[in-house]
Amino acid sequence: MYLPHSYRERYRQHRDAKEAATKAKWYAAHPDNRSWWDKLRKRKPPSYIRPADSPFTYPPFEPTPEQQQNMERLSAILARRDGESLRWHAIPLAELYREQGRFEEAQRVMDVAEKREDDVTVRLISRLIKERDAAPMRYRM
């Protein structure tokens, strides 16, 4: 559980820096042009709204040797499953393969996984496999 902390910290720093740059660009494009009369009448200055077209970025993911070893061991344990048990563990196994950069194996597991089309997790993992992106991803359901 503690192994991803260093990436989480880099992720937060990256996102904070990106948000600060986006915010600075927004404020430069939307200066406070209120007159003294507007300020006296307590007219509000422009308020920041995050642009909808702002791309979502994150730092590159390089697992530590310990993380890599743990992911390899766990994926080997899950891959030994068969039948119903494999279908139950297919999504976590595909995610482990994806984070190791083993995209073809991840896709094969996703092909046999029991999944619903409305499942956010399945759609995200499938998209990241197609994009060949190994970074851990945080998302909201």
Side-chain angles (χ1 to χ4, degrees):
M1 283 178 36
Y2 67 89
L3 291 176
H5 287 337
S6 62
Y7 181 74
R8 287 184 188 116
E9 187 57 34
R10 279 196 332 267
Y11 177 88
R12 284 186 200 104
Q13 290 172 352
H14 177 86
R15 293 300 312 145
D16 290 346
K18 180 69 175 169
E19 184 64 19
T22 302
K23 195 178 264 192
K25 187 177 176 181
W26 189 92
Y27 278 115
H30 301 88
D32 184 359
N33 292 328
R34 296 176 299 158
S35 67
W36 68 270
W37 182 249
D38 291 332
K39 291 176 185 176
L40 182 67
R41 295 182 63 207
K42 299 192 190 294
R43 185 173 157 232
K44 295 184 179 186
S47 59
Y48 172 71
I49 300 170
R50 190 171 208 287
D53 62 345
S54 180
F56 180 78
T57 62
Y58 44 90
F61 175 64
E62 292 293 327
T64 64
E66 190 177 11
Q67 286 174 307
Q68 187 68 30
Q69 185 180 31
N70 283 351
M71 288 190 294
E72 287 169 3
R73 286 179 178 167
L74 184 55
S75 57
I77 290 168
L78 293 176
R80 281 189 232 134
R81 311 284 178 152
D82 59 350
E84 187 64 31
S85 182
L86 177 60
R87 281 201 309 270
W88 180 256
H89 293 96
I91 303 302
L93 179 59
E95 177 65 0
L96 281 166
Y97 282 155
R98 183 189 70 77
E99 287 186 8
Q100 293 174 63
R102 297 162 63 180
F103 301 109
E104 289 78 20
E105 291 169 276
Q107 187 58 57
R108 278 195 298 273
V109 171
M110 287 298 284
D111 291 342
V112 300
E114 190 171 305
K115 52 193 177 252
R116 296 186 334 257
E117 291 301 317
D118 63 337
D119 190 335
V120 175
T121 306
V122 169
R123 285 196 323 261
L124 177 63
I125 293 172
S126 296
R127 190 189 89 219
L128 293 171
I129 290 170
K130 285 180 184 125
E131 293 173 0
R132 300 184 113 26
D133 190 342
M137 196 57 61
R138 181 179 144 212
Y139 65 96
R140 295 184 185 159
M141 295 179 79

